[in-house]
Amino acid sequence: MQQPIPIDLVRLVAVMRQGDKSTKYLNRTTGAILDGGDLERLRRGLDADGIMKMMSTMIEVPKTDSRTVFQWMREWLNTDAQKLPDPRFVDDLLDTLNGDGAFRRFKNALSQPGRCPWSVSWDGYRHKMLCERARLWLAQSGIEYRELDTSAAA
């Protein structure tokens, strides 16, 4: 039986976040996260069989699409945000989600003076959802892993 690979969940979540357009890969045997430049450097000097073997250990890390994040925004507004001060602000935030530019309006509303608890709550909720998504993806990909403790590095 193969040992679980070490995964830096914080790094994986950062890669899965919406916004970064470059493709990243997870090495199924080491847990390393690589980009296209890393792969090119590794390919140098390998023959076709070596490249095929190397690529067989890689899996593309999925991005989190905007529809998913939009759904999380609505879920957060209907759950955790209800517990924050000034529940009327929930209605204001729900209004920001209508029409083009919803993400920008939502972000701008959270960055208003006095809205720090709201912003912190949203960031925490989004991080929790990204962690759940990363763990689910690893499980669905058949990757046995152990999470690295990165708390000491902070």
Side-chain angles (χ1 to χ4, degrees), residues 66-82:
S66 59
R67 287 187 183 128
T68 300
V69 177
F70 189 83
Q71 180 183 349
W72 292 346
M73 291 159 69
R74 285 199 178 281
E75 289 172 2
W76 174 74
L77 286 169
N78 289 310
T79 56
D80 295 29
Q82 298 287 331

Side-chain angles (χ1 to χ4, degrees), residues 72-139:
W72 292 346
M73 291 159 69
R74 285 199 178 281
E75 289 172 2
W76 174 74
L77 286 169
N78 289 310
T79 56
D80 295 29
Q82 298 287 331
K83 302 169 194 160
L84 294 168
D86 190 10
R88 293 173 301 182
F89 188 56
V90 171
D91 293 332
D92 295 340
L93 286 171
L94 282 168
D95 288 342
T96 68
L97 301 182
N98 295 321
D100 291 342
F103 286 94
R104 179 183 40 79
R105 285 191 305 275
F106 184 82
K107 183 179 174 182
N108 288 345
L110 288 178
S111 66
Q112 293 174 6
R115 299 299 180 193
C116 185
W118 291 79
S119 184
V120 168
S121 177
W122 163 244
D123 288 344
Y125 185 83
R126 181 181 54 192
H127 182 75
K128 177 182 81 169
M129 299 306 288
L130 283 163
C131 287
E132 286 178 16
R133 184 175 176 83
R135 289 181 183 110
L136 179 63
W137 173 72
L138 289 164

